[in-house]
């Protein structure tokens, strides 16, 4: 069993030979580099959040409220960071959260991320909003299992078509995002009047779908922007409720994972309606500026259900990953860090970000004396006194 922290020595050995990492190591430097590359409108879409972005900031700040108790002389020379999820064993506890503008950040963005997934073994949760088809993305993921994220459209036949295609393509599960049935109030995007999909970007899964083609054909003849207008008509729903989850449960035999759960009552309902897993997430603060961090919600969601609870929102480092695991997450999603790596350096940038996050998590566990994820229990964390809290 290899320790992910060995990646660090490779960096030092390369440095001794005069070669430095292609990207900044710390998130702040990576973010700054990506901000220099991204078009201002797209930057607002990628980096922005809802309202005054207070919830987005809280997602990041919440991790500083917890500290890991160091334990010495306990024999953590070898660490086991592998996890079992949905009947499969994964080498690490991280995954790449679905991001719908990878193909806007870089021309081959979705496929580049998929190739990084294939190389690192870190699963990619592929977004419905993609510049490559879900079949092409799955193929590029190689032997690494992939999951398909669905924004449920208001057309049941289209929903069924997308799920059936994901099954046929060999995805390991369906991830249903339930907190984006309507777009939240995002001032950065509103100020520029910018949604990439209304510019025709990242709609390849729709363009390639036979049911969507039927919906486009029903538009008035010669209608300009028919694809974009059809998408706008089916993307949002008047409502999204638990009966829609029931329908999706009946539509697929794949594991069904509900993304966007923060209330323990909703976690219980997800289990009652046949979900196989939950992602505790507030969409990184992009959808609602309600004032709760996702990390604050995580322990109660874990305690409310026997389902595996995954987590994302605000994760910026390997240290954050370890803390989320200690609070009960079975696996932890990475979002903006890998998107910024993609923006600056393509698949190689994504790979460096993922390996760096895993190395930091592994080395933290080594130094503080935690040999396995099972050792990361809530009691290992303590509230931080002082300014960070």
């Amino acid at each position: 069993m290899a320790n992910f922290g060995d990646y660090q020595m490779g960096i030092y050995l390369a440095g001794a030979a005069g070669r430095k990492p292609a990207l900044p190591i710390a998130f702040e430097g990576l973010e700054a580099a990506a901000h220099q590359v991204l078009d201002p409108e797209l930057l607002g879409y990628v980096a922005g959040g809802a309202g005054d972005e207070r919830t987005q900031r809280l997602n990041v700040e919440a991790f500083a409220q917890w500290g890991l108790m160091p334990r010495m002389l306990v024999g953590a020379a070898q660490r086991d960071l592998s996890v079992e999820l949905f009947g499969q064993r994964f080498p690490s506890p991280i995954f790449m959260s679905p991001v719908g503008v990878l193909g806007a950040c870089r021309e081959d963005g979705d496929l580049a991320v998929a190739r990084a997934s294939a190389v690192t073994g870190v699963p990619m949760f592929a977004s419905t909003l993609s510049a490559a088809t879900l079949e092409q993305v799955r193929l590029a993921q190689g032997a690494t299992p992939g999951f398909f994220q669905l924004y449920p459209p208001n057309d049941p036949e289209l929903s069924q078509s997308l799920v059936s295609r994901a099954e046929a393509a060999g995805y390991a599960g369906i991830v249903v995002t339930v907190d984006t049935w309507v777009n939240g109030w995002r001032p950065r995007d509103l100020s520029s009047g910018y949604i990439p999909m209304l510019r025709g970007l990242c709609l390849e899964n729709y363009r390639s779908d036979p049911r969507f083609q039927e919906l486009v054909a029903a538009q008035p003849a010669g209608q300009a922007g028919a694809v974009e207008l059809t998408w706008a008509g089916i993307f949002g729903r008047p409502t999204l409720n638990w009966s829609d989850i029931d329908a999706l449960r009946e539509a697929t035999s794949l594991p069904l994972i509900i993304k966007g759960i923060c209330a323990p009552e909703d976690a219980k309902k997800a289990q009652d309606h046949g979900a196989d897993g939950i992602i505790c997430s507030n969409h990184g603060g992009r959808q609602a500026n309600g004032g709760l961090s996702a990390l604050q919600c995580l322990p109660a969601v874990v305690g409310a259900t026997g389902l595996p609870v995954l987590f994302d929102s605000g994760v910026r480092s390997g240290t954050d990953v370890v803390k989320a695991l200690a609070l009960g997450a079975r696996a932890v999603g990475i979002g903006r860090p890998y998107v910024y790596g993609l923006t600056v350096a393509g698949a190689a940038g994504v790979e460096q970000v993922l390996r760096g996050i895993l190395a930091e998590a592994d080395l933290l566990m080594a130094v503080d004396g935690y040999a396995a994820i099972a050792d990361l229990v809530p009691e290992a964390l303590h509230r931080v006194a002082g300014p960070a809290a």
Side-chain angles (χ1 to χ4, degrees), residues 173-176 245 248-249 252 254-258 273-277:
I174 304 294
V175 178
V176 184
I245 300 302
L248 285 167
R249 177 69 287 170
T252 181
L254 290 176
L256 188 66
I257 303 143
I258 311 300
H273 286 265
D276 297 288

Side-chain angles (χ1 to χ4, degrees), residues 27 30-31 33-50 53 56 98-106 186-190 192 194-197 201-202 283-287 316 335-344:
F27 174 78
L30 180 65
E31 181 180 43
H35 283 203
Q36 292 179 0
V37 174
L38 287 169
D39 173 84
E41 290 183 336
L42 182 56
L43 172 60
Y45 192 89
V46 171
E53 302 180 354
Q56 181 171 283
V99 175
V101 289
L102 300 178
C105 292
R106 202 172 178 96
R186 299 201 289 260
R188 293 206 215 189
D189 300 337
L190 290 164
S192 59
Y194 182 75
I195 292 182
M197 284 60 71
L201 301 172
C202 305
H283 219 94
R286 287 178 55 75
Q287 278 295 94
R316 299 291 183 265
R336 285 188 180 89
Y338 88 79
V339 176
Y340 289 151
L342 168 72
T343 299
V344 178

